[in-house]
mmCIF file with all atom_site columns, all heavy atoms in Angstrom:
data_model
loop_
_atom_site.group_PDB
_atom_site.id
_atom_site.type_symbol
_atom_site.label_atom_id
_atom_site.label_alt_id
_atom_site.label_comp_id
_atom_site.label_asym_id
_atom_site.label_entity_id
_atom_site.label_seq_id
_atom_site.pdbx_PDB_ins_code
_atom_site.Cartn_x
_atom_site.Cartn_y
_atom_site.Cartn_z
_atom_site.occupancy
_atom_site.B_iso_or_equiv
_atom_site.pdbx_formal_charge
_atom_site.auth_seq_id
_atom_site.auth_comp_id
_atom_site.auth_asym_id
_atom_site.auth_atom_id
_atom_site.pdbx_PDB_model_num
ATOM 1   N N   . GLU H 1 87 ? 6.878   34.231 16.336 1.00 95.00 ? 87 GLU H N   1
ATOM 2   C CA  . GLU H 1 87 ? 5.485   34.538 16.054 1.00 95.00 ? 87 GLU H CA  1
ATOM 3   C C   . GLU H 1 87 ? 5.261   34.760 14.564 1.00 95.00 ? 87 GLU H C   1
ATOM 4   O O   . GLU H 1 87 ? 6.114   35.300 13.864 1.00 95.00 ? 87 GLU H O   1
ATOM 5   C CB  . GLU H 1 87 ? 5.045   35.787 16.824 1.00 95.00 ? 87 GLU H CB  1
ATOM 6   C CG  . GLU H 1 87 ? 5.109   35.648 18.338 1.00 95.00 ? 87 GLU H CG  1
ATOM 7   C CD  . GLU H 1 87 ? 4.118   34.638 18.872 1.00 95.00 ? 87 GLU H CD  1
ATOM 8   O OE1 . GLU H 1 87 ? 3.047   34.470 18.231 1.00 95.00 ? 87 GLU H OE1 1
ATOM 9   O OE2 . GLU H 1 87 ? 4.395   34.021 19.917 1.00 95.00 ? 87 GLU H OE2 1
ATOM 10  N N   . TRP H 1 88 ? 4.080   34.346 14.106 1.00 97.00 ? 88 TRP H N   1
ATOM 11  C CA  . TRP H 1 88 ? 3.675   34.594 12.728 1.00 97.00 ? 88 TRP H CA  1
ATOM 12  C C   . TRP H 1 88 ? 2.895   35.909 12.684 1.00 97.00 ? 88 TRP H C   1
ATOM 13  O O   . TRP H 1 88 ? 1.867   36.055 13.333 1.00 97.00 ? 88 TRP H O   1
ATOM 14  C CB  . TRP H 1 88 ? 2.816   33.455 12.206 1.00 97.00 ? 88 TRP H CB  1
ATOM 15  C CG  . TRP H 1 88 ? 3.591   32.197 11.955 1.00 97.00 ? 88 TRP H CG  1
ATOM 16  C CD1 . TRP H 1 88 ? 3.785   31.164 12.826 1.00 97.00 ? 88 TRP H CD1 1
ATOM 17  C CD2 . TRP H 1 88 ? 4.276   31.843 10.750 1.00 97.00 ? 88 TRP H CD2 1
ATOM 18  N NE1 . TRP H 1 88 ? 4.554   30.183 12.244 1.00 97.00 ? 88 TRP H NE1 1
ATOM 19  C CE2 . TRP H 1 88 ? 4.862   30.579 10.956 1.00 97.00 ? 88 TRP H CE2 1
ATOM 20  C CE3 . TRP H 1 88 ? 4.453   32.463 9.511  1.00 97.00 ? 88 TRP H CE3 1
ATOM 21  C CZ2 . TRP H 1 88 ? 5.614   29.933 9.988  1.00 97.00 ? 88 TRP H CZ2 1
ATOM 22  C CZ3 . TRP H 1 88 ? 5.199   31.821 8.538  1.00 97.00 ? 88 TRP H CZ3 1
ATOM 23  C CH2 . TRP H 1 88 ? 5.768   30.575 8.768  1.00 97.00 ? 88 TRP H CH2 1
ATOM 24  N N   . VAL H 1 89 ? 3.404   36.849 11.890 1.00 96.00 ? 89 VAL H N   1
ATOM 25  C CA  . VAL H 1 89 ? 2.824   38.186 11.810 1.00 96.00 ? 89 VAL H CA  1
ATOM 26  C C   . VAL H 1 89 ? 2.087   38.328 10.475 1.00 96.00 ? 89 VAL H C   1
ATOM 27  O O   . VAL H 1 89 ? 2.674   38.115 9.405  1.00 96.00 ? 89 VAL H O   1
ATOM 28  C CB  . VAL H 1 89 ? 3.910   39.274 11.937 1.00 96.00 ? 89 VAL H CB  1
ATOM 29  C CG1 . VAL H 1 89 ? 3.290   40.663 11.807 1.00 96.00 ? 89 VAL H CG1 1
ATOM 30  C CG2 . VAL H 1 89 ? 4.654   39.124 13.258 1.00 96.00 ? 89 VAL H CG2 1
ATOM 31  N N   . PRO H 1 90 ? 0.795   38.706 10.501 1.00 95.00 ? 90 PRO H N   1
ATOM 32  C CA  . PRO H 1 90 ? 0.031   38.812 9.255  1.00 95.00 ? 90 PRO H CA  1
ATOM 33  C C   . PRO H 1 90 ? 0.155   40.181 8.590  1.00 95.00 ? 90 PRO H C   1
ATOM 34  O O   . PRO H 1 90 ? 0.298   41.206 9.261  1.00 95.00 ? 90 PRO H O   1
ATOM 35  C CB  . PRO H 1 90 ? -1.404  38.577 9.724  1.00 95.00 ? 90 PRO H CB  1
ATOM 36  C CG  . PRO H 1 90 ? -1.422  39.137 11.121 1.00 95.00 ? 90 PRO H CG  1
ATOM 37  C CD  . PRO H 1 90 ? -0.054  38.879 11.690 1.00 95.00 ? 90 PRO H CD  1
ATOM 38  N N   . THR H 1 91 ? 0.090   40.174 7.290  1.00 93.00 ? 91 THR H N   1
ATOM 39  C CA  . THR H 1 91 ? 0.014   41.394 6.486  1.00 93.00 ? 91 THR H CA  1
ATOM 40  C C   . THR H 1 91 ? -1.223  41.286 5.598  1.00 93.00 ? 91 THR H C   1
ATOM 41  O O   . THR H 1 91 ? -1.354  40.330 4.830  1.00 93.00 ? 91 THR H O   1
ATOM 42  C CB  . THR H 1 91 ? 1.262   41.582 5.612  1.00 93.00 ? 91 THR H CB  1
ATOM 43  O OG1 . THR H 1 91 ? 2.425   41.621 6.438  1.00 93.00 ? 91 THR H OG1 1
ATOM 44  C CG2 . THR H 1 91 ? 1.164   42.876 4.807  1.00 93.00 ? 91 THR H CG2 1
ATOM 45  N N   . LEU H 1 92 ? -2.114  42.247 5.719  1.00 89.00 ? 92 LEU H N   1
ATOM 46  C CA  . LEU H 1 92 ? -3.357  42.216 4.954  1.00 89.00 ? 92 LEU H CA  1
ATOM 47  C C   . LEU H 1 92 ? -3.076  42.453 3.475  1.00 89.00 ? 92 LEU H C   1
ATOM 48  O O   . LEU H 1 92 ? -2.260  43.290 3.105  1.00 89.00 ? 92 LEU H O   1
ATOM 49  C CB  . LEU H 1 92 ? -4.333  43.268 5.471  1.00 89.00 ? 92 LEU H CB  1
ATOM 50  C CG  . LEU H 1 92 ? -5.669  43.401 4.727  1.00 89.00 ? 92 LEU H CG  1
ATOM 51  C CD1 . LEU H 1 92 ? -6.487  42.121 4.867  1.00 89.00 ? 92 LEU H CD1 1
ATOM 52  C CD2 . LEU H 1 92 ? -6.453  44.599 5.245  1.00 89.00 ? 92 LEU H CD2 1
ATOM 53  N N   . VAL H 1 93 ? -3.780  41.686 2.647  1.00 94.00 ? 93 VAL H N   1
ATOM 54  C CA  . VAL H 1 93 ? -3.702  41.846 1.199  1.00 94.00 ? 93 VAL H CA  1
ATOM 55  C C   . VAL H 1 93 ? -4.976  42.537 0.719  1.00 94.00 ? 93 VAL H C   1
ATOM 56  O O   . VAL H 1 93 ? -6.087  42.132 1.091  1.00 94.00 ? 93 VAL H O   1
ATOM 57  C CB  . VAL H 1 93 ? -3.543  40.490 0.500  1.00 94.00 ? 93 VAL H CB  1
ATOM 58  C CG1 . VAL H 1 93 ? -3.383  40.680 -1.004 1.00 94.00 ? 93 VAL H CG1 1
ATOM 59  C CG2 . VAL H 1 93 ? -2.361  39.724 1.072  1.00 94.00 ? 93 VAL H CG2 1
ATOM 60  N N   . ILE H 1 94 ? -4.823  43.562 -0.077 1.00 89.00 ? 94 ILE H N   1
ATOM 61  C CA  . ILE H 1 94 ? -5.982  44.312 -0.575 1.00 89.00 ? 94 ILE H CA  1
ATOM 62  C C   . ILE H 1 94 ? -6.545  43.580 -1.796 1.00 89.00 ? 94 ILE H C   1
ATOM 63  O O   . ILE H 1 94 ? -6.012  43.698 -2.905 1.00 89.00 ? 94 ILE H O   1
ATOM 64  C CB  . ILE H 1 94 ? -5.586  45.756 -0.930 1.00 89.00 ? 94 ILE H CB  1
ATOM 65  C CG1 . ILE H 1 94 ? -4.970  46.449 0.278  1.00 89.00 ? 94 ILE H CG1 1
ATOM 66  C CG2 . ILE H 1 94 ? -6.800  46.531 -1.440 1.00 89.00 ? 94 ILE H CG2 1
ATOM 67  C CD1 . ILE H 1 94 ? -4.441  47.829 -0.008 1.00 89.00 ? 94 ILE H CD1 1
ATOM 68  N N   . LEU H 1 95 ? -7.608  42.818 -1.607 1.00 94.00 ? 95 LEU H N   1
ATOM 69  C CA  . LEU H 1 95 ? -8.176  42.006 -2.685 1.00 94.00 ? 95 LEU H CA  1
ATOM 70  C C   . LEU H 1 95 ? -9.296  42.717 -3.437 1.00 94.00 ? 95 LEU H C   1
ATOM 71  O O   . LEU H 1 95 ? -9.532  42.447 -4.601 1.00 94.00 ? 95 LEU H O   1
ATOM 72  C CB  . LEU H 1 95 ? -8.723  40.691 -2.123 1.00 94.00 ? 95 LEU H CB  1
ATOM 73  C CG  . LEU H 1 95 ? -7.695  39.707 -1.556 1.00 94.00 ? 95 LEU H CG  1
ATOM 74  C CD1 . LEU H 1 95 ? -8.399  38.447 -1.063 1.00 94.00 ? 95 LEU H CD1 1
ATOM 75  C CD2 . LEU H 1 95 ? -6.651  39.351 -2.591 1.00 94.00 ? 95 LEU H CD2 1
ATOM 76  N N   . ARG H 1 96 ? -10.047 43.571 -2.753 1.00 92.00 ? 96 ARG H N   1
ATOM 77  C CA  . ARG H 1 96 ? -11.181 44.293 -3.359 1.00 92.00 ? 96 ARG H CA  1
ATOM 78  C C   . ARG H 1 96 ? -12.251 43.331 -3.879 1.00 92.00 ? 96 ARG H C   1
ATOM 79  O O   . ARG H 1 96 ? -12.775 43.483 -4.989 1.00 92.00 ? 96 ARG H O   1
ATOM 80  C CB  . ARG H 1 96 ? -10.687 45.193 -4.497 1.00 92.00 ? 96 ARG H CB  1
ATOM 81  C CG  . ARG H 1 96 ? -9.779  46.319 -4.036 1.00 92.00 ? 96 ARG H CG  1
ATOM 82  C CD  . ARG H 1 96 ? -9.284  47.129 -5.215 1.00 92.00 ? 96 ARG H CD  1
ATOM 83  N NE  . ARG H 1 96 ? -8.345  46.382 -6.032 1.00 92.00 ? 96 ARG H NE  1
ATOM 84  C CZ  . ARG H 1 96 ? -8.017  46.709 -7.277 1.00 92.00 ? 96 ARG H CZ  1
ATOM 85  N NH1 . ARG H 1 96 ? -8.591  47.772 -7.844 1.00 92.00 ? 96 ARG H NH1 1
ATOM 86  N NH2 . ARG H 1 96 ? -7.161  45.993 -7.949 1.00 92.00 ? 96 ARG H NH2 1
ATOM 87  N N   . LEU H 1 97 ? -12.596 42.337 -3.067 1.00 95.00 ? 97 LEU H N   1
ATOM 88  C CA  . LEU H 1 97 ? -13.602 41.352 -3.450 1.00 95.00 ? 97 LEU H CA  1
ATOM 89  C C   . LEU H 1 97 ? -14.911 41.623 -2.715 1.00 95.00 ? 97 LEU H C   1
ATOM 90  O O   . LEU H 1 97 ? -14.916 42.110 -1.595 1.00 95.00 ? 97 LEU H O   1
ATOM 91  C CB  . LEU H 1 97 ? -13.123 39.935 -3.103 1.00 95.00 ? 97 LEU H CB  1
ATOM 92  C CG  . LEU H 1 97 ? -11.936 39.386 -3.894 1.00 95.00 ? 97 LEU H CG  1
ATOM 93  C CD1 . LEU H 1 97 ? -11.554 38.016 -3.356 1.00 95.00 ? 97 LEU H CD1 1
ATOM 94  C CD2 . LEU H 1 97 ? -12.254 39.309 -5.377 1.00 95.00 ? 97 LEU H CD2 1
ATOM 95  N N   . ASN H 1 98 ? -16.023 41.269 -3.356 1.00 94.00 ? 98 ASN H N   1
ATOM 96  C CA  . ASN H 1 98 ? -17.322 41.348 -2.701 1.00 94.00 ? 98 ASN H CA  1
ATOM 97  C C   . ASN H 1 98 ? -17.939 39.970 -2.503 1.00 94.00 ? 98 ASN H C   1
ATOM 98  O O   . ASN H 1 98 ? -19.106 39.844 -2.148 1.00 94.00 ? 98 ASN H O   1
ATOM 99  C CB  . ASN H 1 98 ? -18.282 42.244 -3.493 1.00 94.00 ? 98 ASN H CB  1
ATOM 100 C CG  . ASN H 1 98 ? -18.495 41.742 -4.906 1.00 94.00 ? 98 ASN H CG  1
ATOM 101 O OD1 . ASN H 1 98 ? -17.998 40.691 -5.293 1.00 94.00 ? 98 ASN H OD1 1
ATOM 102 N ND2 . ASN H 1 98 ? -19.248 42.506 -5.689 1.00 94.00 ? 98 ASN H ND2 1
ATOM 103 N N   . ARG H 1 99 ? -17.154 38.928 -2.755 1.00 96.00 ? 99 ARG H N   1
ATOM 104 C CA  . ARG H 1 99 ? -17.568 37.551 -2.503 1.00 96.00 ? 99 ARG H CA  1
ATOM 105 C C   . ARG H 1 99 ? -16.388 36.797 -1.898 1.00 96.00 ? 99 ARG H C   1
ATOM 106 O O   . ARG H 1 99 ? -15.277 37.303 -1.817 1.00 96.00 ? 99 ARG H O   1
ATOM 107 C CB  . ARG H 1 99 ? -18.024 36.858 -3.804 1.00 96.00 ? 99 ARG H CB  1
ATOM 108 C CG  . ARG H 1 99 ? -19.273 37.437 -4.438 1.00 96.00 ? 99 ARG H CG  1
ATOM 109 C CD  . ARG H 1 99 ? -20.513 37.182 -3.600 1.00 96.00 ? 99 ARG H CD  1
ATOM 110 N NE  . ARG H 1 99 ? -21.738 37.602 -4.277 1.00 96.00 ? 99 ARG H NE  1
ATOM 111 C CZ  . ARG H 1 99 ? -22.223 38.827 -4.283 1.00 96.00 ? 99 ARG H CZ  1
ATOM 112 N NH1 . ARG H 1 99 ? -21.567 39.797 -3.653 1.00 96.00 ? 99 ARG H NH1 1
ATOM 113 N NH2 . ARG H 1 99 ? -23.345 39.113 -4.908 1.00 96.00 ? 99 ARG H NH2 1
#
Side-chain angles (χ1 to χ4, degrees):
E87 298 294 330
W88 288 92
V89 178
T91 302
L92 177 64
V93 183
I94 303 175
L95 293 181
R96 295 178 290 163
L97 292 177
N98 59 4
R99 295 292 187 276

